[in-house]
Amino acid sequence: MAGPRVVIIGAGVVGAALADEISERGWTEVTVVDQGPLPATGGSTSHAPGLVFQTNSSKTMTEMARYTVEKFCSLDVDGEPCFLQVGGLEVATGTERVAELQRRHGWLASWGIEARLIGPEECVEQHPLVNPDKVLAGLLVPTDGIAKAVLAVEAQIRRATGRGVRFLARHEVLDVRHSMGRVTGVLTDQGEIPADVVVCCAGIWGPKIARMAGMNLPLTPLAHQLAWTGPVPALAGQTEEAVRPILRHQDADLYYRDRFDGLGIGYYGHRSMPVTADEILSVDDADGMPSVLKFTEEDFEDAWAETRSLLPVTREAKVEEGINGLFSFTTDGLPLLGESPDVRGFWVAEAVWVTHSAGVGRAMAEWLVDGHCSSFDLHECDVNRFEPHQLAPEYVLARDCRNFDEVYDILHPLQPPEDLRPLRTSPFYARQQELGAFFLEANGWERPQWYEANAGLVEGRSIVTPNDWAARFWSPVVGAEAQITRETVALYDMTALKRLEVSGRGAAAFLERLCTGKVDKSVGSVTYTLLLDQDGGIRSDITVARLSFDRFQIGANGNLDLDWFTRHLPADGTVQVRDITAGTCCVGLWGPLARKVLQPLTDEDFSNDGLKYFRAKQAYIGSVPVTAMRLSYVGELGWELYTTADQGQKLWDTLWEAARPLGGIVAGRGAFNSLRLEKGYRSFGTDMTYEHDPYEAGVGFAVKPDKGDFLGRAALERRRADVRRRLTCLTIDDPRAVVMGKEPVYDGDRPVGYVTSAAYGYTIGKGIAYAWLPAELATTGRPLRIGYFDQRVEAVVAEEPLFDPAMSRLRG
């Protein structure tokens, strides 16, 4: 036996996959406990229909699904396969869905999954039961199929057992033991099992188990209808379980799969039916499977009517059985993976469906054994990604139900939620409303995208309307605001950006250890730097401002940065870290006239010599005390001006009154994004993530090799010599061909990369798209094409930055 003592709670498709993957990596002192029998334990795995569609807007989720397909295809139990690779077909019955299938095909091309768009005739050829008069187009993925989930559990149990893993059926978990901030074991109804690591894979019971370790898990079990027809006369004599592709009719919230001479029908179009984890019966108390609730026929009526329209052969059949099966939903539709922030050694792998189960098993095994995941970028799946308000029971329930309702909807990438708003507002919110701000949501904050008060400024400017998809949640005011920022000056609300304070006598040494740049510098210094993982991958890009000898302000990207700093704090108490975002606010004052606005309002020297680029100072702006940092994410002269929330409105009013006579404006996020791409500034989580290193991402300048050791340095030095891909700037001449992100990039007819961020550059008069490409293609002037719905948009690799490469405007 090797490795620490591990207890996995839950022997469903996730727990079994983790046991298999972790034992394959040498950790064999592993015990898996489940309250139910094996291999059908009574959770969601036991009733899952098993449809595996790999298509997803998330690269990570698609890659996890692909690994699940590949692994399950290799598994069998006594010759019976664990995966039926019949392919997957999504059909469109309306023109808007046709365009959506084109967009989804683009995702698959971006993430390297074979797929093709097909016409109505081939849809019927692939799935002869489909009504040829109803279908307009289809998306066919040959490697999709049906996972035999319980069989896959059994196969992985056998593999793990062969390596020494123990599986204990009929063991109900009563408590997770922990002491002094560390997990110590698991108490079951048959005794206590000591443990150094506990992983909760309890699925719909996850919140209940996590609560035993003091963890609030933002997960809601919701009932989803699954029905099975009796024999369909047209299918009489079908002896194979499945011969046709799994089918999705997302316009009606439906999916279908074969089952010999009958069909399975899944439906998401009914009312949301949430339950709490505490309401779910135990295996012993349930009449049948506890994850299965009584079928409500009245909720299925529309589904059955639509089924008989799409698949006319079902008119001669009946629904013979059905369930309301419980599955896990989260507030953003993504899994919950990672370690508790409070109890070391307690981990979760929750809200994972069969589709991604083996991928999650591998990711968690790598994370536990190696200290990081090398196969997948997990930043969007980390359980510690949430802000405090996103863990509120009202928020979790409302957003989880919304995600159920929208699971098959066509969603624009900028489309904000409509419920529970506003949640967080900056001190400038009332003033922004007066100016006609159009708000989108950012981490719960109401953040202006543009201001209708600026509508009159569009007149006389050449601002081209983009294509219909890109024109959603857009206004020509965005272009005017971007151009005027470059011409005069603008105020930007930057409050939604995360702000942390790191303090204490050990703060400088602590930050030096975590950051790639030199931050132990003079008071008033501001440093753009990176946080790396031990494999050299980028954890975040941040700014570090030294405000006093033992106090630093961090411009961070989100709650994962706070979690990262907290996990690395020294045990001696010499460093403290806290989130100061809610108690502070920030105005970005940027543009060539920014100094003319600011200098008359203060006695401090804001000349070029008085406050140089990337320096900070304390000052009074009128009567408001501020921390002023000479930074600019839009590539113009200016400052980030921070103050406490109680004085934020006064700061805004003071600056606005001074800016207006000079032609200054307020501007929103739409303009901001255009301007930052003209300058080539990266956005973590979009342009670069954990899977990328600084040299690939074009931020190698933030690594200072002449400083001391820092986390990830050794791995980074190995990666530096082998750069095979690059984040690359592309420009597009067609002003209407504005892409949105995640589109595939083609060299000829070959997909070679994908777009990260994109916008129209209102200063340079071109579309801009940043994309990951093979290094050999990232050469200035190389023509490429971007797949956008049914189009191939002409683009060319451009030298960056596109605007002010000499940095004269920033440093003036």
Side-chain angles (χ1 to χ4, degrees):
M1 306 288 278
R5 299 168 299 176
V6 179
V7 174
I8 299 172
I9 301 173
V13 73
V14 179
L18 175 56
D20 179 34
E21 295 282 343
I22 203 169
S23 60
E24 187 177 38
R25 285 162 178 78
W27 282 16
T28 55
E29 196 167 346
V30 178
T31 302
V32 184
V33 298
D34 199 291
Q35 63 179 330
L38 299 176
T41 63
S44 300
T45 299
S46 302
H47 66 73
L51 284 77
V52 176
F53 287 94
Q54 298 167 83
T55 311
N56 199 293
S57 63
S58 164
K59 181 173 182 281
T60 296
M61 297 300 281
T62 296
E63 290 174 339
M64 286 179 171
R66 173 168 47 199
Y67 180 78
T68 300
V69 168
E70 292 170 352
K71 182 175 183 180
F72 282 12
C73 281
S74 72
L75 299 177
D76 70 88
V77 175
D78 301 330
E80 186 177 354
C82 294
F83 195 80
L84 307 177
Q85 201 159 42
V86 292
L89 176 64
E90 298 182 43
V91 294
T93 57
T95 55
E96 190 175 6
R97 184 66 63 175
V98 172
E100 175 69 359
L101 294 188
Q102 293 164 350
R103 186 167 72 115
R104 295 169 71 80
H105 180 251
W107 296 340
L108 291 165
S110 291
W111 316 144
I113 301 288
E114 178 191 355
R116 56 192 176 93
L117 293 162
I118 60 177
E121 298 82 5
E122 191 174 352
C123 287
V124 177
E125 289 176 15
Q126 292 287 336
H127 204 296
L129 307 187
V130 168
N131 184 347
D133 297 327
K134 196 171 177 73
V135 174
L136 301 179
L139 174 61
L140 181 68
V141 183
T143 52
D144 286 348
I146 299 171
K148 306 293 290 295
V150 174
L151 210 63
V153 168
E154 184 173 357
Q156 292 175 104
I157 286 176
R158 290 186 182 187
R159 286 160 52 116
T161 301
R163 303 186 190 104
V165 174
R166 290 193 306 163
F167 285 82
L168 302 179
R170 299 288 185 180
H171 280 61
E172 183 178 359
V173 174
L174 304 177
D175 195 15
V176 175
R177 302 294 202 194
H178 50 95
S179 176
M180 303 294 290
R182 285 210 62 89
V183 75
T184 60
V186 172
L187 177 65
T188 77
D189 59 355
Q190 299 191 44
E192 185 165 346
I193 306 170
D196 306 303
V197 174
V198 174
V199 187
C200 178
C201 304
I204 54 178
W205 289 278
K208 182 178 180 179
I209 300 297
R211 197 163 58 242
M212 297 174 183
M215 191 174 183
N216 185 0
L217 205 62
L219 179 159
T220 303
L222 282 113
H224 160 58
Q225 290 200 304
L226 176 65
W228 300 95
T229 71
V232 178
L235 305 182
Q238 180 175 318
T239 57
E240 293 183 66
E241 181 177 351
V243 297
R244 283 165 288 275
I246 53 176
L247 179 67
R248 274 205 281 201
H249 175 26
Q250 299 195 79
D251 283 326
D253 298 302
L254 285 161
Y255 64 78
Y256 304 92
R257 57 153 291 180
D258 287 7
R259 188 172 71 167
F260 300 103
D261 62 352
L263 293 172
I265 307 167
Y267 186 45
Y268 286 105
H270 55 79
R271 61 192 169 92
S272 58
M273 294 182 273
V275 301
T276 68
D278 294 312
E279 292 174 311
I280 305 169
L281 298 175
S282 67
V283 171
D284 290 335
D285 292 336
D287 182 14
M289 282 191 287
S291 61
V292 171
L293 307 181
K294 183 180 178 181
F295 187 61
T296 50
E297 294 182 11
E298 64 277 11
D299 290 307
F300 198 70
E301 289 176 357
D302 290 344
W304 184 231
E306 182 62 26
T307 295
R308 285 176 290 178
S309 174
L310 182 71
L311 308 175
V313 298
T314 59
R315 295 170 188 167
E316 302 176 58
K318 294 181 179 180
V319 173
E320 290 199 347
E321 56 181 306
I323 63 170
N324 287 5
L326 295 176
F327 289 97
S328 300
F329 281 79
T330 62
T331 57
D332 57 8
L334 293 164
L336 307 173
L337 312 179
E339 188 181 22
S340 163
D342 301 312
V343 178
R344 295 299 170 94
F346 182 78
W347 294 69
V348 299
E350 292 289 352
V352 181
W353 293 2
V354 173
T355 300
H356 309 101
S357 58
V360 167
R362 179 174 184 172
M364 292 298 296
E366 291 177 348
W367 200 350
L368 286 162
V369 175
D370 302 331
H372 64 92
C373 177
S374 57
S375 294
F376 311 101
D377 163 38
L378 297 183
H379 86 275
E380 60 186 3
C381 302
D382 193 315
V383 70
N384 295 296
R385 64 188 180 269
F386 301 105
E387 297 289 327
H389 74 274
Q390 294 172 319
L391 299 176
E394 180 188 30
Y395 181 97
V396 172
L397 178 60
R399 293 292 166 90
D400 288 358
C401 289
R402 179 180 62 84
N403 277 332
F404 176 90
D405 294 339
E406 295 178 348
V407 70
Y408 278 176
D409 287 1
I410 298 171
L411 300 175
H412 192 275
L414 294 179
Q415 185 169 328
E418 298 301 328
D419 54 343
L420 299 181
R421 292 181 62 194
L423 273 172
R424 309 173 82 184
T425 57
S426 79
F428 324 133
Y429 182 64
R431 297 293 188 257
Q432 292 165 343
Q433 287 179 304
E434 293 168 3
L435 293 167
F438 180 84
F439 292 100
L440 297 181
E441 189 188 67
N443 286 329
W445 293 95
E446 295 295 318
R447 184 168 66 186
Q449 192 73 358
W450 70 83
Y451 293 85
E452 284 300 325
N454 294 328
L457 302 176
V458 175
E459 187 176 351
R461 295 180 178 273
S462 178
I463 299 171
V464 179
T465 300
N467 57 79
D468 291 346
W469 184 250
R472 298 187 188 185
F473 305 100
W474 176 88
S475 166
V477 174
V478 169
E481 290 177 357
Q483 290 177 354
I484 293 171
T485 301
R486 296 254 188 256
E487 295 164 3
T488 58
V489 64
L491 276 66
Y492 287 83
D493 181 0
M494 302 299 291
T495 303
L497 297 182
K498 192 82 163 177
R499 290 175 292 284
L500 307 176
E501 182 182 85
V502 177
S503 61
R505 58 186 174 84
F510 169 72
L511 290 170
E512 280 290 309
R513 171 65 182 146
L514 294 183
C515 295
T516 62
K518 182 73 173 174
V519 297
D520 188 4
K521 299 188 291 190
S522 62
V523 171
S525 64
V526 183
T527 306
Y528 173 81
T529 185
L530 307 173
L531 304 176
L532 303 182
D533 211 330
Q534 63 190 55
D535 66 342
I538 301 171
R539 291 282 314 195
S540 189
D541 66 332
I542 61 174
T543 56
V544 179
R546 190 169 202 169
L547 303 184
S548 67
F549 176 77
D550 59 357
R551 183 168 64 91
F552 296 79
Q553 181 170 309
I554 311 298
N557 282 297
N559 210 59
L560 289 179
D561 292 343
L562 174 61
D563 181 68
W564 187 252
F565 282 127
T566 302
R567 290 182 186 278
H568 288 86
L569 285 173
D572 60 8
T574 58
V575 184
Q576 296 82 44
V577 59
R578 66 187 184 101
D579 185 352
I580 61 172
T581 310
T584 57
C585 59
C586 179
V587 178
L589 179 70
W590 294 312
L593 302 185
R595 187 173 283 121
K596 290 186 177 181
V597 172
L598 193 64
Q599 188 60 76
L601 301 175
T602 180
D603 293 334
E604 292 290 331
D605 183 3
F606 277 87
S607 69
N608 197 38
D609 291 332
L611 188 62
K612 295 183 181 297
Y613 187 51
F614 266 82
R615 296 288 298 179
K617 69 162 58 174
Q618 310 291 328
Y620 284 95
I621 305 302
S623 60
V624 180
V626 302
T627 298
M629 299 185 195
R630 190 170 169 192
L631 310 176
S632 173
Y633 207 47
V634 301
E636 292 292 338
L637 170 68
W639 300 268
E640 293 178 358
L641 302 170
Y642 298 89
T643 192
T644 52
D646 60 317
Q647 298 194 70
Q649 184 172 292
K650 180 64 175 177
L651 175 62
W652 179 276
D653 290 345
T654 302
L655 294 170
W656 181 226
E657 185 178 347
R660 290 178 67 186
L662 298 175
I665 61 167
V666 291
R669 188 70 178 186
F672 178 92
N673 197 48
S674 170
L675 297 171
R676 71 105 177 164
L677 287 176
E678 288 183 332
K679 281 298 292 180
Y681 294 147
R682 276 61 168 151
S683 174
F684 179 81
T686 303
D687 298 317
M688 54 190 186
T689 66
Y690 296 176
E691 66 176 303
H692 305 116
D693 70 47
Y695 304 111
E696 297 172 327
V699 289
F701 63 87
V703 179
K704 303 303 179 186
D706 57 344
K707 64 167 282 182
D709 194 23
F710 54 84
L711 182 61
R713 176 170 185 155
L716 188 60
E717 290 174 351
R718 293 190 296 269
R719 294 176 68 155
R720 183 176 188 175
D722 189 27
V723 175
R724 301 183 183 184
R725 58 185 174 180
R726 293 192 184 278
L727 184 61
T728 306
C729 180
L730 307 177
T731 57
I732 303 164
D733 286 336
D734 183 350
R736 283 186 51 81
V738 175
V739 301
M740 300 291 294
K742 302 188 177 181
E743 298 88 359
V745 179
Y746 292 88
D747 181 27
D749 292 327
R750 179 174 62 104
V752 292
Y754 59 91
V755 174
T756 57
S757 295
Y760 190 76
Y762 296 99
T763 311
I764 66 168
K766 292 178 183 287
I768 307 168
Y770 272 78
W772 281 102
L773 296 175
E776 65 271 17
L777 298 181
T779 55
T780 302
R782 187 176 188 104
L784 297 165
R785 295 189 296 169
I786 299 172
Y788 189 66
F789 292 92
D790 60 344
Q791 306 169 35
R792 295 290 173 90
V793 175
E794 301 293 332
V796 63
V797 175
E799 188 173 353
E800 57 173 329
L802 299 170
F803 177 78
D804 188 26
M807 305 281 281
S808 59
R809 295 172 75 99
L810 281 166
R811 299 178 183 278

